[in-house]
């Protein structure tokens, strides 16, 4: 059973049910609730401890978009490009397929984005390290578990 979707336990449950029926002539376990618990525990181990859905009271404002926009490099992950779309919102483009992720302001120089794909963990942080007038680097929290998530200009 193969899938490119975010883990939810369905493919694992279908495969386990098939083998259970083949081996025992019937399902001996309700596999979907079983795998749902297992997959949920495994899938969210990289979730951020910060609840980016709720900015803090009195959150510091973001700097001008021009401070953040541009291309940043990372020897492990490749380039990350921050742009402003026609609607005025910031987004980052990342990865070999150039996936675009809208950025939502959280506080100060920190934004959030929604992770996608098989390693998705929900909202994660994007923190710019800004000096007056220009950010010199950005750290993508979800990619930084091993200290490799900082992109520099």
């Amino acid at each position: 059973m193969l899938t490119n979707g975010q883990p939810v336990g369905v493919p694992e449950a279908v495969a386990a049910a098939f083998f259970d029926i083949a081996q025992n002539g019937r399902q001996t376990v309700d596999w979907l609730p079983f795998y749902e618990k297992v997959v949920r525990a495994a899938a969210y181990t990289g979730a951020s401890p910060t609840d980016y859905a709720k900015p803090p009271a009195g959150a510091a404002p973001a700097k001008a978009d021009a401070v953040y926009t541009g291309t940043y490099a990372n020897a492990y992950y490749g380039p990350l490009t921050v742009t402003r779309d026609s609607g005025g919102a910031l987004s980052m483009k990342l990865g070999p397929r150039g996936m675009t992720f809208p950025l939502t302001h959280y506080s100060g120089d920190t934004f959030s984005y929604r992770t996608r794909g098989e390693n998705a963990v929900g909202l994660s942080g994007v923190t710019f390290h800004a000096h007056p007038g220009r950010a010199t680097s950005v750290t993508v929290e979800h990619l930084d578990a091993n200290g490799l998530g900082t992109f520099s200009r």
Side-chain angles (χ1 to χ4, degrees), residues 37-129:
K37 290 177 189 170
V38 171
V39 170
R40 186 180 305 145
Y44 294 108
T45 57
S48 176
T50 303
D51 183 359
Y52 288 103
K54 299 176 184 174
K63 292 178 177 61
D65 290 350
V67 171
Y68 309 118
T69 57
T71 300
Y72 302 80
N74 178 296
Y76 188 76
Y77 289 110
L80 177 151
T81 303
V82 177
T83 58
R84 185 173 162 207
D85 65 23
S86 59
L90 289 176
S91 62
M92 72 174 176
K93 189 175 184 179
L94 181 64
R97 292 188 200 129
M99 293 176 72
T100 299
F101 300 90
L103 296 176
T104 302
H105 182 252
Y106 179 71
S107 182
D109 294 326
T110 301
F111 293 76
S112 68
Y113 78 106
R114 182 158 303 279
T115 58
R116 294 194 306 252
E118 65 184 31
N119 296 317
V121 295
L123 292 175
S124 189
V126 176
T127 303
F128 292 89
H129 310 285

Side-chain angles (χ1 to χ4, degrees), residues 1 6-20 27-44:
M1 200 51 76
Q6 182 173 349
V8 294
V10 173
E12 295 84 358
V14 170
F18 173 81
F19 288 118
D20 203 6
Q27 274 192 238
T28 59
V29 173
D30 188 358
W31 291 105
L32 187 57
F34 174 83
Y35 275 106
E36 182 181 34
K37 290 177 189 170
V38 171
V39 170
R40 186 180 305 145
Y44 294 108

Side-chain angles (χ1 to χ4, degrees), residues 71-75 78-80 129 135-139 149-153:
T71 300
Y72 302 80
N74 178 296
L80 177 151
H129 310 285
T136 56
S137 63
V138 59
T139 300
T150 297
F151 296 73
S152 302
R153 288 203 221 218

